[in-house]
Amino acid sequence: MLIDHLKKTDDRALTKWHHYFQVYEREMGRFLKQPISFLEIGIFKGGSIPMWKDYFPDGSRLTFIDIDPACKAFEIEGTNVRIGNQADPEFLTSLAGELGPFDVVLDDGSHVCAHQIASFESLWQHLTNGGLYMVEDCHTSYWPGFGGGYRNEASFIEYSKRLIDTMHSWYTDQDALFPFQDMARELNSVRFYDSIVAIEKLEQKEPPTSLVSKNGNVEASRRALQVRGRTSVFAGKDGN
Protein backbone atom coordinates (compact mmCIF):
# COMPACT_ATOMS: atom_id res chain seq x y z
CA MET A 1 0.00 0.00 0.00
CA LEU A 2 1.12 3.54 -0.73
CA ILE A 3 0.99 4.53 2.94
CA ASP A 4 3.68 1.95 3.66
CA HIS A 5 6.16 4.30 2.04
CA LEU A 6 6.08 6.37 5.24
CA LYS A 7 8.24 3.69 6.86
CA LYS A 8 10.87 4.09 4.14
CA THR A 9 11.34 7.87 4.14
CA ASP A 10 14.70 9.55 4.61
CA ASP A 11 15.53 13.09 5.77
CA ARG A 12 13.29 14.61 3.07
CA ALA A 13 10.09 15.45 4.91
CA LEU A 14 6.82 14.08 3.53
CA THR A 15 3.65 15.73 4.84
CA LYS A 16 0.23 14.37 3.87
CA TRP A 17 -3.14 14.08 5.61
CA HIS A 18 -3.72 10.48 6.67
CA HIS A 19 -6.96 10.06 4.70
CA TYR A 20 -5.29 11.19 1.46
CA PHE A 21 -3.58 7.83 1.02
CA GLN A 22 -6.88 6.02 0.68
CA VAL A 23 -8.01 8.58 -1.91
CA TYR A 24 -4.75 8.20 -3.83
CA GLU A 25 -5.17 4.43 -3.98
CA ARG A 26 -8.78 4.71 -5.08
CA GLU A 27 -8.14 7.30 -7.78
CA MET A 28 -4.68 6.38 -9.04
CA GLY A 29 -4.73 2.61 -8.71
CA ARG A 30 -5.88 2.21 -12.31
CA PHE A 31 -2.67 3.85 -13.52
CA LEU A 32 -0.39 1.09 -12.25
CA LYS A 33 -0.67 -1.26 -15.24
CA GLN A 34 1.77 0.58 -17.50
CA PRO A 35 4.14 3.57 -17.42
CA ILE A 36 2.42 6.93 -17.23
CA SER A 37 3.22 10.62 -17.33
CA PHE A 38 2.71 12.21 -13.90
CA LEU A 39 2.98 15.82 -12.76
CA GLU A 40 2.94 17.02 -9.18
CA ILE A 41 2.71 20.73 -8.43
CA GLY A 42 4.54 21.58 -5.23
CA ILE A 43 7.72 19.94 -3.92
CA PHE A 44 8.27 21.52 -0.48
CA LYS A 45 10.91 19.29 1.18
CA GLY A 46 10.99 16.72 -1.61
CA GLY A 47 9.54 13.79 0.34
CA SER A 48 6.86 12.90 -2.20
CA ILE A 49 9.31 12.50 -5.10
CA PRO A 50 10.67 9.07 -4.04
CA MET A 51 7.18 8.02 -2.96
CA TRP A 52 5.68 8.55 -6.40
CA LYS A 53 8.73 7.04 -8.06
CA ASP A 54 8.20 3.87 -6.04
CA TYR A 55 4.45 3.87 -6.63
CA PHE A 56 4.16 4.25 -10.39
CA PRO A 57 5.47 1.64 -12.87
CA ASP A 58 9.08 1.70 -14.00
CA GLY A 59 9.50 3.86 -17.07
CA SER A 60 6.95 6.44 -15.99
CA ARG A 61 7.76 10.06 -16.75
CA LEU A 62 7.58 11.84 -13.38
CA THR A 63 7.65 15.63 -13.28
CA PHE A 64 7.64 17.90 -10.24
CA ILE A 65 7.46 21.69 -10.17
CA ASP A 66 7.95 24.32 -7.51
CA ILE A 67 8.51 28.07 -7.38
CA ASP A 68 11.49 27.67 -5.02
CA PRO A 69 14.80 27.22 -6.94
CA ALA A 70 16.21 25.25 -3.98
CA CYS A 71 13.83 22.40 -4.87
CA LYS A 72 15.95 21.52 -7.87
CA ALA A 73 18.26 19.75 -5.43
CA PHE A 74 15.53 17.15 -4.75
CA GLU A 75 15.62 15.78 -8.29
CA ILE A 76 16.54 12.09 -8.37
CA GLU A 77 17.23 9.66 -11.17
CA GLY A 78 14.12 9.00 -13.22
CA THR A 79 12.44 12.27 -12.29
CA ASN A 80 12.31 15.80 -13.67
CA VAL A 81 12.22 18.89 -11.45
CA ARG A 82 11.37 22.21 -13.03
CA ILE A 83 11.24 25.61 -11.34
CA GLY A 84 8.35 27.94 -12.12
CA ASN A 85 5.12 29.51 -10.96
CA GLN A 86 2.05 27.29 -11.09
CA ALA A 87 -0.08 30.33 -11.95
CA ASP A 88 2.05 31.24 -14.97
CA PRO A 89 0.35 29.89 -18.11
CA GLU A 90 3.45 30.41 -20.25
CA PHE A 91 5.55 28.29 -17.89
CA LEU A 92 2.92 25.55 -17.77
CA THR A 93 2.47 25.53 -21.54
CA SER A 94 6.22 25.24 -22.02
CA LEU A 95 6.37 22.48 -19.41
CA ALA A 96 3.61 20.52 -21.11
CA GLY A 97 5.34 20.91 -24.45
CA GLU A 98 8.54 19.46 -22.98
CA LEU A 99 7.21 16.73 -20.67
CA GLY A 100 3.49 16.35 -21.35
CA PRO A 101 0.84 15.42 -22.02
CA PHE A 102 0.08 14.14 -18.53
CA ASP A 103 -1.99 11.16 -17.45
CA VAL A 104 -2.19 12.40 -13.86
CA VAL A 105 -1.79 15.90 -12.46
CA LEU A 106 -1.72 16.40 -8.68
CA ASP A 107 -1.85 19.97 -7.40
CA ASP A 108 -0.21 20.20 -3.98
CA GLY A 109 1.22 23.64 -4.64
CA SER A 110 0.48 26.98 -3.02
CA HIS A 111 -3.13 26.04 -2.12
CA VAL A 112 -4.13 29.58 -3.12
CA CYS A 113 -7.49 29.33 -4.88
CA ALA A 114 -6.57 31.62 -7.76
CA HIS A 115 -3.42 29.56 -8.38
CA GLN A 116 -5.34 26.28 -8.30
CA ILE A 117 -7.80 27.60 -10.86
CA ALA A 118 -5.06 29.05 -13.09
CA SER A 119 -3.15 25.75 -13.09
CA PHE A 120 -6.25 23.74 -13.91
CA GLU A 121 -7.26 26.01 -16.76
CA SER A 122 -3.75 25.88 -18.24
CA LEU A 123 -3.14 22.16 -17.83
CA TRP A 124 -6.55 20.64 -18.57
CA GLN A 125 -5.86 20.80 -22.31
CA HIS A 126 -2.59 18.94 -21.68
CA LEU A 127 -4.27 16.08 -19.82
CA THR A 128 -4.58 12.84 -21.77
CA ASN A 129 -7.91 11.33 -22.70
CA GLY A 130 -8.85 9.25 -19.67
CA GLY A 131 -6.53 11.30 -17.49
CA LEU A 132 -7.02 12.48 -13.92
CA TYR A 133 -6.59 15.96 -12.44
CA MET A 134 -6.51 16.11 -8.63
CA VAL A 135 -6.33 19.15 -6.38
CA GLU A 136 -5.64 18.55 -2.71
CA ASP A 137 -5.80 20.67 0.43
CA CYS A 138 -9.02 22.19 -0.88
CA HIS A 139 -9.98 23.11 2.68
CA THR A 140 -8.13 26.35 1.93
CA SER A 141 -11.20 27.23 -0.15
CA TYR A 142 -12.79 28.07 3.22
CA TRP A 143 -9.92 30.31 4.33
CA PRO A 144 -10.02 33.98 3.27
CA GLY A 145 -6.24 34.15 3.55
CA PHE A 146 -6.00 31.78 0.58
CA GLY A 147 -8.59 33.56 -1.51
CA GLY A 148 -11.44 31.46 -0.20
CA GLY A 149 -14.19 31.73 2.39
CA TYR A 150 -17.54 29.99 2.77
CA ARG A 151 -19.45 30.21 -0.53
CA ASN A 152 -16.84 32.59 -1.93
CA GLU A 153 -17.29 32.33 -5.71
CA ALA A 154 -13.53 32.79 -6.15
CA SER A 155 -12.69 29.64 -4.19
CA PHE A 156 -11.62 26.44 -5.92
CA ILE A 157 -14.44 24.48 -4.27
CA GLU A 158 -17.05 26.81 -5.76
CA TYR A 159 -15.22 26.69 -9.11
CA SER A 160 -15.38 22.89 -8.97
CA LYS A 161 -19.08 22.95 -8.16
CA ARG A 162 -19.62 24.93 -11.36
CA LEU A 163 -17.82 22.18 -13.27
CA ILE A 164 -20.71 19.92 -12.27
CA ASP A 165 -23.06 22.31 -14.06
CA THR A 166 -20.76 22.32 -17.06
CA MET A 167 -20.79 18.52 -17.17
CA HIS A 168 -24.61 18.56 -17.28
CA SER A 169 -24.98 21.35 -19.83
CA TRP A 170 -25.81 18.69 -22.45
CA TYR A 171 -29.30 18.70 -20.99
CA THR A 172 -30.00 22.41 -20.92
CA ASP A 173 -33.33 23.76 -22.12
CA GLN A 174 -32.57 27.26 -20.85
CA ASP A 175 -30.06 28.43 -23.42
CA ALA A 176 -30.07 32.06 -22.35
CA LEU A 177 -29.54 31.25 -18.68
CA PHE A 178 -27.53 28.05 -18.99
CA PRO A 179 -26.06 27.47 -22.46
CA PHE A 180 -24.30 24.30 -23.54
CA GLN A 181 -20.58 24.42 -22.69
CA ASP A 182 -18.19 22.61 -24.97
CA MET A 183 -16.13 21.38 -22.02
CA ALA A 184 -18.99 18.96 -21.34
CA ARG A 185 -17.53 16.88 -24.16
CA GLU A 186 -14.47 16.18 -21.97
CA LEU A 187 -15.76 16.10 -18.40
CA ASN A 188 -16.46 12.53 -17.36
CA SER A 189 -16.72 13.05 -13.61
CA VAL A 190 -16.06 15.48 -10.76
CA ARG A 191 -15.54 13.69 -7.45
CA PHE A 192 -15.33 15.38 -4.07
CA TYR A 193 -13.47 13.98 -1.07
CA ASP A 194 -12.47 15.61 2.20
CA SER A 195 -10.12 18.36 0.95
CA ILE A 196 -9.60 16.74 -2.48
CA VAL A 197 -11.33 17.26 -5.82
CA ALA A 198 -10.70 14.65 -8.55
CA ILE A 199 -11.66 15.58 -12.11
CA GLU A 200 -11.61 12.92 -14.82
CA LYS A 201 -11.22 13.69 -18.50
CA LEU A 202 -12.87 11.52 -21.13
CA GLU A 203 -13.58 12.85 -24.59
CA GLN A 204 -17.20 12.36 -25.57
CA LYS A 205 -17.64 13.81 -29.02
CA GLU A 206 -21.23 12.58 -29.20
CA PRO A 207 -23.99 13.59 -26.77
CA PRO A 208 -25.29 11.16 -24.14
CA THR A 209 -27.40 8.31 -25.46
CA SER A 210 -30.41 6.73 -23.75
CA LEU A 211 -30.83 2.96 -24.13
CA VAL A 212 -34.26 1.37 -24.25
CA SER A 213 -34.56 -2.42 -24.05
CA LYS A 214 -37.72 -4.48 -24.54
CA ASN A 215 -37.95 -8.19 -25.25
CA GLY A 216 -34.20 -8.29 -25.67
CA ASN A 217 -34.18 -5.59 -28.33
CA VAL A 218 -32.02 -2.61 -27.52
CA GLU A 219 -32.54 0.78 -29.11
CA ALA A 220 -30.45 3.91 -28.68
CA SER A 221 -32.09 7.32 -28.57
CA ARG A 222 -31.23 10.94 -27.94
CA ARG A 223 -34.83 12.09 -27.73
CA ALA A 224 -34.27 13.07 -24.10
CA LEU A 225 -32.07 15.88 -25.40
CA GLN A 226 -34.87 17.37 -27.46
CA VAL A 227 -35.85 20.84 -26.38
CA ARG A 228 -39.57 21.55 -26.17
CA GLY A 229 -40.76 22.92 -29.48
CA ARG A 230 -37.50 22.28 -31.36
CA THR A 231 -34.86 19.63 -31.85
CA SER A 232 -31.73 20.02 -29.77
CA VAL A 233 -28.64 20.96 -31.76
CA PHE A 234 -27.02 17.90 -30.19
CA ALA A 235 -29.56 15.40 -31.44
CA GLY A 236 -29.63 13.75 -34.83
CA LYS A 237 -31.82 15.16 -37.59
CA ASP A 238 -34.56 12.72 -36.63
CA GLY A 239 -34.14 13.44 -32.94
CA ASN A 240 -32.62 10.01 -32.28
Side-chain angles (χ1 to χ4, degrees):
M1 297 179 64
L2 183 59
I3 199 170
D4 292 337
H5 180 83
L6 297 178
K7 302 174 183 177
K8 300 186 292 182
T9 53
D10 53 22
D11 59 351
R12 289 168 290 192
L14 173 61
T15 303
K16 296 286 185 181
W17 291 95
H18 182 272
H19 67 277
Y20 282 11
F21 289 92
Q22 183 178 9
V23 178
Y24 293 152
E25 297 274 7
R26 180 174 181 176
E27 290 291 340
M28 299 186 192
R30 62 188 174 93
F31 294 98
L32 301 182
K33 297 179 181 179
Q34 59 187 16
I36 69 161
S37 177
F38 171 82
L39 169 65
E40 183 172 34
I41 301 171
I43 295 175
F44 189 47
K45 299 297 184 180
S48 68
I49 293 179
M51 180 182 74
W52 294 122
K53 187 175 186 298
D54 285 349
Y55 183 66
F56 289 115
D58 291 342
S60 293
R61 184 170 63 248
L62 308 176
T63 304
F64 302 85
I65 67 171
D66 201 283
I67 199 171
D68 182 1
C71 288
K72 183 66 176 178
F74 296 124
E75 188 175 67
I76 60 178
E77 184 179 357
T79 69
N80 304 284
V81 170
R82 297 292 184 269
I83 305 303
N85 188 333
Q86 75 168 103
D88 180 355
E90 292 186 6
F91 165 67
L92 295 177
T93 298
S94 176
L95 179 79
E98 177 191 4
L99 297 166
F102 304 105
D103 298 301
V104 178
V105 175
L106 176 63
D107 185 347
D108 184 23
S110 70
H111 314 314
V112 173
C113 295
H115 296 175
Q116 293 168 329
I117 294 170
S119 296
F120 176 77
E121 292 186 341
S122 293
L123 290 171
W124 178 256
Q125 63 187 309
H126 301 292
L127 194 68
T128 59
N129 187 27
L132 177 69
Y133 196 106
M134 294 180 64
V135 181
E136 62 183 57
D137 292 342
C138 291
H139 51 268
T140 61
S141 281
Y142 299 93
W143 296 350
F146 284 77
Y150 179 62
R151 293 292 175 89
N152 183 342
E153 289 296 311
S155 76
F156 186 76
I157 285 290
E158 294 300 320
Y159 179 89
S160 300
K161 291 178 184 178
R162 293 192 291 274
L163 290 179
I164 297 174
D165 292 332
T166 297
M167 184 170 61
H168 288 91
S169 64
W170 289 109
Y171 307 96
T172 182
D173 63 354
Q174 298 173 283
D175 289 343
L177 177 65
F178 178 43
F180 172 75
Q181 299 175 58
D182 201 56
M183 191 180 182
R185 300 182 188 275
E186 300 179 335
L187 272 174
N188 188 52
S189 62
V190 183
R191 296 184 287 276
F192 289 83
Y193 300 91
D194 181 349
S195 302
I196 293 180
V197 178
I199 306 162
E200 186 178 11
K201 184 175 186 177
L202 186 64
E203 295 179 9
Q204 305 170 80
K205 299 186 183 300
E206 298 296 327
T209 300
S210 174
L211 298 179
V212 179
S213 178
K214 185 176 182 179
N215 296 323
N217 296 315
V218 181
E219 294 183 358
S221 173
R222 295 197 178 103
R223 292 187 186 279
L225 294 182
Q226 286 183 297
V227 177
R228 184 185 301 240
R230 65 180 178 87
T231 301
S232 168
V233 295
F234 311 115
K237 291 181 180 180
D238 60 355
N240 294 323

